[in-house]
């Protein structure tokens, strides 16, 4: 009985530590803005004018140009904000951009197409296409370990500017 109880405690403790491992805490300076520099494949987490973190990123499979419609493989350009998070993402962890903005919707409707949606900053997860830098459907991808830091550091409502 004693061995069974000890084994059960070990399994529960190990299981809880494994579940909690992707959720980090952060008590450093606030991330006040995110800049995505598509041409340089970089994402900067800023505290006012100071760079807190600088990440190498992957983009949509058609990385040049602004997103125009659902399925075009482009990452949108413009000013958005972080509006949601997904701790159960199939790409490890993810935080969502407020795309499409009203201007994106109007532009797509003028073309007679859907603007799409569900643009996220996310990890690679098991679906990462190895050997390709730009592989997403329009999202911004980082390594899973980096996404854990980003998920902890960035709050909902944080502005994000995506530049060509």
């Amino acid at each position: 009985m004693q061995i069974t109880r000890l084994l059960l405690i070990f399994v529960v403790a190990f299981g809880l530590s494994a579940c909690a491992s992707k959720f980090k805490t952060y008590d450093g300076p606030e991330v006040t803005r995110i800049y995505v520099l598509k041409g340089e494949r970089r994402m900067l987490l800023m505290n006012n004018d100071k760079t807190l973190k600088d990440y190498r990123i992957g983009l949509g499979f058609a990385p040049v140009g602004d997103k125009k419609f659902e399925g075009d493989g482009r990452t949108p350009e413009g000013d958005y904000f972080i509006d949601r998070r997904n701790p159960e993402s199939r790409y490890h962890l993810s935080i969502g951009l407020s795309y499409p903005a009203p201007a994106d919707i109007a532009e797509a409707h003028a073309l007679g197409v859907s603007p799409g949606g569900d643009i996220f900053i996310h990890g690679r997860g098991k679906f990462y296409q190895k050997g390709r830098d730009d592989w997403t459907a329009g999202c911004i991808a980082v390594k899973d370990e980096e996404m854990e830091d980003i998920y902890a550091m960035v709050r909902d409502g944080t502005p994000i500017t995506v530049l060509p």
Side-chain angles (χ1 to χ4, degrees):
M1 184 69 170
Q2 186 71 4
I3 292 175
T4 303
R5 183 177 296 162
L6 286 173
L7 183 60
L8 180 60
I9 290 171
F10 175 76
V11 168
V12 169
F14 180 76
L16 288 175
S17 68
C19 290
S21 66
K22 73 177 184 178
F23 298 106
K24 297 180 177 179
T25 58
Y26 175 73
D27 63 357
E30 176 186 8
V31 175
T32 57
R33 176 169 294 280
I34 303 168
Y35 288 106
V36 174
L37 312 173
K38 287 174 55 175
E40 297 178 31
R41 301 301 189 279
R42 291 174 55 211
M43 180 174 66
L44 309 174
L45 302 187
M46 306 295 295
N47 173 266
N48 299 314
D49 60 350
K50 181 182 178 205
T51 302
L52 298 174
K53 293 282 188 167
D54 185 340
Y55 299 101
R56 176 145 172 71
I57 59 170
L59 299 169
F61 61 82
V64 177
D66 189 15
K67 183 165 197 61
K68 300 293 183 199
F69 57 89
E70 185 172 18
D72 67 4
R74 292 191 174 116
T75 303
E77 297 170 359
D79 292 312
Y80 303 97
F81 60 91
I82 302 303
D83 67 350
R84 63 201 181 279
R85 51 191 58 238
N86 183 359
E88 301 298 324
S89 172
R90 59 190 271 188
Y91 299 102
H92 192 59
L93 292 168
S94 61
I95 56 176
L97 279 65
S98 61
Y99 176 88
D104 300 312
I105 295 168
E107 183 178 28
H109 286 187
L111 297 170
V113 295
S114 167
D118 285 339
I119 301 296
F120 286 86
I121 300 168
H122 60 66
R124 294 177 176 174
K126 62 182 179 179
F127 299 97
Y128 169 61
Q129 297 178 13
K130 294 181 191 242
R132 293 192 60 187
D133 289 333
D134 298 320
W135 58 274
T136 75
C139 295
I140 300 156
V142 296
K143 295 176 182 173
D144 288 349
E145 302 79 30
E146 295 169 336
M147 191 61 223
E148 292 171 7
D149 292 335
I150 294 163
Y151 196 87
M153 293 174 73
V154 174
R155 300 287 165 238
D156 289 357
T158 302
I160 178 169
T161 300
V162 184
L163 300 167

